Amino acid sequence: MNRIFSILAAGVLAAGFVASASAQQHLVVAGYGGSFEDLMRKDVLPPFAKAHNVTIDYVAGNSTDTVARLVAQKSNQQIDVAIVDDGPMYQAIALGLCEPIKNLPKADLYPSALFPQDKAVGLGLVATGIMYSKKYFADHGWAPPTSWKDLTDPKYKQLLVIPPLNNTYGLHALIEFARMNGGGEKNIDPGFKAFKKEVDPNVLVYEPSPGKMTELFTSGQAVIGVWGSSRVKALADTGFPVGFVYPKEGAYALLVVGCVVAKPHPNPLAQQLIDYLASPEGQAKMAAALGAAPVNKKTTIKDDPNVPLPIGARAAKLLTVDWDTVNQHRTEWNTRWTHEIEH
């Protein structure tokens, strides 16, 4: 009996070990939807999954949705790695949702990719600028846009699409119109006034969905918009004739940022995934697939023939945002936006 019990016990322990090992080979990543999700699933994550024999579940959502999900799950986190915009990532860090990333190759990374206490790291640089339908513009004899002010031209009435304010692209646009009218992050009123009076009449819809944004362009309902270089590159890669402009006043820097989600027993593969995404190999894949310019100095990529990437001199000229001020007021601004702009 003792021998049978010992065999059974050993079997139970072995089964427990197999179950435990199996449980470790599963990772949940939260990040952007649309073309970003498609390319992460197809090109960026599979090499890591294969090398580590891990199943990766991808949870899609915009940055504010992902941070809200992390807050809601704080007592029982389901997500292992979160990928969001730089502004929301500062909020996530302040809320204690990220744990330090170990052994970051800081010497290889541009300073703009580093975050306090190594609780996050930049994974790619995107430019927020103006996209336009090349064919529609050519057919109508229109010159490509060159300035943020072009968004107020009456000829674009009901042809302009901009993401809403809870999206970083929409936020960048509001801040720029505030700056052009004598304000800025610390005085956002001129931005709201300009949007309401000059921009809003041209807006077909304030569209949060990347998939819908693409659909509006490909169907010809929208012909000009505010979006990120990586999103526009993905659209151009489908063969659709879309252009991307760095406005003369400046395009805005949007940093794609990753963090290891804080939890009592974090999956060690989460750290390894961040290591991979920040490595020259991972950076090259993200740049090629997503159009996010690398933050690792050892990564070499070619510029894109359709959508100029934010590299070199273009990257150096990108405008930045005072996120400390923005994050203090963003909830208030979102409420105001709903009442005054998208009512």
Side-chain angles (χ1 to χ4, degrees):
M1 281 293 287
N2 286 343
R3 184 169 179 273
I4 293 173
F5 180 80
S6 297
I7 291 172
L8 287 172
V12 169
L13 285 171
F17 176 79
V18 170
S20 174
S22 174
Q24 289 176 353
Q25 301 303 311
H26 183 82
L27 206 61
V28 180
V29 177
Y32 316 109
S35 57
F36 187 97
E37 175 186 3
D38 295 340
L39 293 165
M40 287 291 282
R41 288 180 181 275
K42 178 174 171 282
D43 298 325
V44 179
L45 295 176
F48 180 87
K50 184 177 180 181
H52 295 272
N53 190 29
V54 58
T55 299
I56 299 178
D57 289 340
Y58 192 94
V59 181
N62 67 34
S63 296
T64 51
D65 290 340
T66 296
V67 173
R69 190 175 283 118
L70 291 174
V71 171
Q73 296 178 357
K74 192 168 185 180
S75 61
N76 183 27
Q77 287 290 6
Q78 305 298 308
I79 296 167
D80 297 299
V81 172
I83 300 173
V84 300
D85 295 348
D86 39 10
M89 185 59 81
Y90 280 111
Q91 288 180 311
I93 292 171
L95 291 167
L97 300 171
C98 300
E99 69 172 39
I101 300 168
K102 299 168 186 171
N103 305 316
L104 266 182
K106 293 184 181 181
D108 296 343
L109 303 176
Y110 291 115
S112 60
L114 303 177
F115 281 70
Q117 300 175 315
D118 296 341
K119 288 194 173 180
V121 63
L123 300 175
L125 182 63
V126 173
T128 299
I130 300 172
M131 68 170 173
Y132 68 100
S133 171
K134 288 182 176 179
K135 185 177 185 307
Y136 190 97
F137 271 60
D139 289 348
H140 287 73
W142 294 351
T146 59
S147 165
W148 287 103
K149 292 179 182 177
D150 288 340
L151 300 183
T152 67
D153 191 323
K155 72 185 177 188
Y156 301 135
K157 187 175 178 65
Q158 296 291 291
L159 294 173
L160 170 65
V161 284
I162 302 176
L165 196 62
N166 62 0
N167 181 297
T168 302
Y169 302 129
L171 178 72
H172 282 161
L174 177 67
I175 289 172
E176 175 56 28
F177 273 88
R179 290 181 179 182
M180 286 193 299
N181 289 277
E185 292 90 325
K186 295 184 185 300
N187 177 19
I188 205 69
D189 286 353
F192 273 98
K193 289 175 183 174
F195 245 88
K196 188 172 183 178
K197 183 179 178 183
E198 302 174 48
V199 181
D200 187 64
N202 287 345
V203 174
L204 173 67
V205 63
Y206 294 99
E207 182 51 60
S209 163
K212 184 66 175 176
M213 195 88 158
T214 297
E215 183 184 316
L216 289 169
F217 254 70
T218 55
S219 67
Q221 295 175 73
V223 303
I224 186 169
V226 175
W227 225 16
S229 52
S230 60
R231 295 286 190 190
V232 181
K233 178 188 181 305
L235 178 54
D237 287 347
T238 68
F240 184 79
V242 63
F244 182 80
V245 172
Y246 289 72
K248 64 183 181 182
E249 299 87 356
Y252 278 76
L254 187 159
L255 204 60
V256 176
V257 189
C259 90
V260 176
V261 177
K263 55 174 71 177
H265 304 290
N267 189 329
L269 286 174
Q271 293 272 353
Q272 293 180 50
L273 177 59
I274 290 290
D275 289 344
Y276 163 68
L277 294 176
S279 71
E281 178 195 357
Q283 289 280 285
K285 286 189 176 297
M286 290 188 74
L290 306 169
V295 297
N296 190 310
K297 300 171 190 174
K298 292 185 176 180
T299 308
T300 55
I301 63 163
K302 293 180 180 178
D303 202 0
D304 189 273
N306 295 314
V307 176
L309 301 179
I311 55 179
R314 286 192 291 267
K317 293 177 182 176
L318 291 177
L319 304 175
T320 57
V321 167
D322 175 3
W323 284 113
D324 287 338
T325 298
V326 169
N327 286 333
Q328 285 175 27
H329 299 285
R330 196 160 186 182
T331 301
E332 165 201 334
W333 292 354
N334 285 342
T335 301
R336 183 175 174 184
W337 178 271
T338 303
H339 285 48
E340 294 185 21
I341 309 298
E342 285 194 80
H343 52 77

